[in-house]
Amino acid sequence: AATAPRIPSTRLALHHFDTSYSLHLGALWPSVRAALLCEQKYGALLNNFAAADHVPEELELLNATDFISEASQKAQQQWQQGAAVGEVDGGCQEGSEMSPLCASISSKIKCYTFPRGDITRFRPARPDALGLLDYYLMDAASLLPVLALSVQPDDFVLDLCAAPGGKTLALLQNGFCGYLAANDVSVSRTKRLYQILHSYVPKEVRDTVSVTSYDGRDWDQVEGGTFHKVLVDVPCTTDRHSAMEEDNNIFHKRRTKERQMLPMLQLQLLMAGILAAKPGGQVVYSTCSLSPLQNECVVE
């Protein structure tokens, strides 16, 4: 046993995914599996605080497009088609109450991605005259929870599990948040959040962000019932990382108990997020896992 080769954590993760996700996703699983094992594609989240008006044109010349404005255009086209046949129900028409989708995709957030099948890499971000970087590279799907939150002017917003900081930075891009609290239990990850804010956000805006390192499960004891919008982007099995990277892999045998307890941790964080919201507030719960135990079951 002592001399037997150690089974890589990535192989354990993939075996777990093959066993559980093949049942959950059925015929879709082979293509999803291939996507998990492909090289990661990044999106370039434009930094509205940087003086970088040339960046959209530069990225468009490389055949990258802003997927958020594309979604807005598609929603408008669908509404026009629905209006033509008399099937419009709410939606994005002027004078009607906007759906969360339409409200979010009309935001100031812009994120450029390359077309499907194109794995061109973005150049490293560059500083402007004041030293603020022009864009932040992140998985474009990570913006979906932020868009779903649909932050409005003067909203009090809580990012309960904020580090390393991509979603917090995205929340700030709308520029009209009344108050933003960014929390993460890990002090080392909170340092990374500070670094991102310092690299992308001017001091006068950074000073309006409250960064803390509380255990998110106890947040209602800190500032309960005070936020209009709460983002609960919980720790999870981070499926792509688990299938591709040995470093800090939650499928390592020493972390079995931690992994098994994830749904309980996620439930406790979601409950704390709900208690942190004002009556009538909105909470978005998100993971980067396909696991029903970590998604549908926690919400139910």
Side-chain angles (χ1 to χ4, degrees), residues 4-254:
R6 182 174 65 87
I7 301 174
S9 302
T10 50
R11 191 189 303 174
L12 292 173
L14 202 54
H15 174 72
H16 174 82
F17 298 156
D18 282 333
T19 303
S20 57
Y21 295 167
S22 59
L23 294 174
H24 175 53
L25 296 172
L28 287 174
W29 171 236
S31 62
V32 173
R33 188 184 195 274
L36 276 179
L37 296 174
C38 282
E39 181 177 351
Q40 186 167 4
K41 278 186 66 169
Y42 286 99
L45 171 68
L46 290 195
N47 184 15
N48 293 329
F49 299 112
D53 296 339
H54 63 285
V55 173
E57 183 180 354
E58 176 189 335
L59 295 177
E60 287 163 9
L61 287 172
L62 296 173
N63 202 30
T65 55
D66 173 21
F67 84 89
I68 299 172
S69 64
E70 280 188 341
S72 180
Q73 292 168 6
K74 287 178 182 177
Q76 183 65 22
Q77 290 170 359
Q78 290 171 350
W79 174 78
Q80 290 172 344
Q81 292 168 357
V85 295
E87 294 179 352
V88 171
D89 180 18
C92 298
Q93 70 267 43
E94 188 176 346
S96 72
E97 184 177 347
M98 296 179 75
S99 70
L101 171 65
C102 296
S104 63
I105 61 181
S106 61
S107 71
K108 296 177 182 177
I109 300 174
K110 297 184 182 299
C111 183
Y112 280 79
T113 58
F114 290 107
R116 178 174 294 190
D118 184 344
I119 56 171
T120 301
R121 296 191 179 193
F122 291 97
R123 62 160 173 78
R126 295 171 183 158
D128 66 1
L130 298 177
L132 298 177
L133 297 178
D134 52 7
Y135 56 62
Y136 179 76
L137 296 180
M138 64 189 301
D139 188 327
S142 295
L143 282 176
L144 299 180
V146 174
L147 295 171
L149 203 61
S150 188
V151 174
Q152 301 301 308
D154 301 323
D155 276 350
F156 278 41
V157 182
L158 169 63
D159 188 353
L160 191 61
C161 308
K167 295 181 180 67
T168 305
L169 179 61
L171 285 166
L172 289 169
Q173 294 305 309
N174 277 316
F176 49 47
C177 184
Y179 170 71
L180 175 60
N183 178 74
D184 198 277
V185 68
S186 168
V187 175
S188 61
R189 284 165 58 87
T190 304
K191 288 180 180 176
R192 171 66 177 148
L193 172 58
Y194 273 117
Q195 290 171 354
I196 288 176
L197 291 175
H198 190 270
S199 299
Y200 287 88
V201 181
K203 186 177 186 303
E204 61 271 19
V205 178
R206 289 201 307 270
D207 290 344
T208 67
V209 181
S210 171
V211 179
T212 54
S213 295
Y214 296 114
D215 186 332
R217 293 172 291 184
D218 302 326
W219 186 268
D220 61 301
Q221 300 172 25
V222 182
E223 289 185 73
T226 55
F227 293 92
H228 302 96
K229 303 287 175 67
V230 180
L231 176 59
V232 187
D233 184 59
V234 294
C236 65
T237 49
T238 53
D239 292 356
R240 180 192 290 279
H241 177 88
S242 295
M244 298 286 281
E245 302 287 341
E246 281 297 310
D247 183 49
N248 198 32
N249 194 312
I250 199 165
F251 280 86
H252 193 286
K253 288 187 175 181
R254 286 197 297 266

Side-chain angles (χ1 to χ4, degrees), residues 267-290:
L267 176 61
Q268 291 170 330
L269 287 167
L270 177 55
M271 290 298 296
I274 291 169
L275 292 172
K278 287 176 175 287
Q282 295 178 329
V283 179
V284 169
Y285 172 83
S286 62
T287 76
C288 45
S289 171
L290 296 164

